[in-house]
Amino acid sequence: MGGLPKARTILKADAAVSAVLAVLLLLSPTGLLALLDLPAPTLWAPLAGVLTGAVAVALATAPAAGPPAARVVCAAGAVANLGSAAVIVAALGSGTLGIGFVGAALLGLLAVVRLGFGALEAVYWGRLKGAARG
């Protein structure tokens, strides 16, 4: 079970961050994201919140199913986190978001956190390879 305990910790931490992000996205129509100086599309943010919440559930529960499930979720988490970090960096770099310093700083922090989780999940995807075979 080599990497499973560490992968479990990483997946649960990522699940917690994803759950918080899901709640923020789901609350965006109330103006919470506008208050934080972040963009708040009417339909896309709640949809992204629902999907992020589903990912949080998968991240939190996969380790209990054993190394094969944790490995699959590590791979999916790595793709989701690294992809979202790239999208955030590209959006910030384009200068077209129309947000202030606080919003840009929060999005930059989110990109760094997602990049870190993505890198860790990619590492543990590889480490769980042998454990996933049985």
Side-chain angles (χ1 to χ4, degrees):
M1 291 253 233
L4 186 59
K6 290 181 184 175
R8 180 179 290 122
T9 301
I10 292 165
L11 292 174
K12 287 191 182 216
D14 190 5
V17 171
S18 293
V20 169
L21 180 60
V23 169
L24 287 175
L25 288 167
L26 287 167
L27 292 176
S28 67
T30 67
L32 179 61
L33 292 182
L35 179 67
L36 296 174
D37 199 21
L38 295 169
T42 306
L43 175 65
W44 296 109
L47 287 175
V50 169
L51 291 173
T52 303
V55 169
V57 170
L59 289 164
T61 59
R71 184 166 194 262
V72 169
V73 173
C74 276
V79 169
N81 282 314
L82 295 174
S84 64
V87 167
I88 292 168
V89 169
L92 287 172
S94 73
T96 59
L97 290 178
I99 58 175
F101 176 77
V102 174
L106 290 172
L107 283 176
L109 177 61
L110 180 60
V112 169
V113 169
R114 291 295 190 189
L115 180 64
F117 278 129
L120 287 170
E121 287 162 348
V123 166
Y124 280 93
W125 170 78
R127 289 187 181 172
L128 290 171
K129 186 175 184 179
R133 288 188 188 149

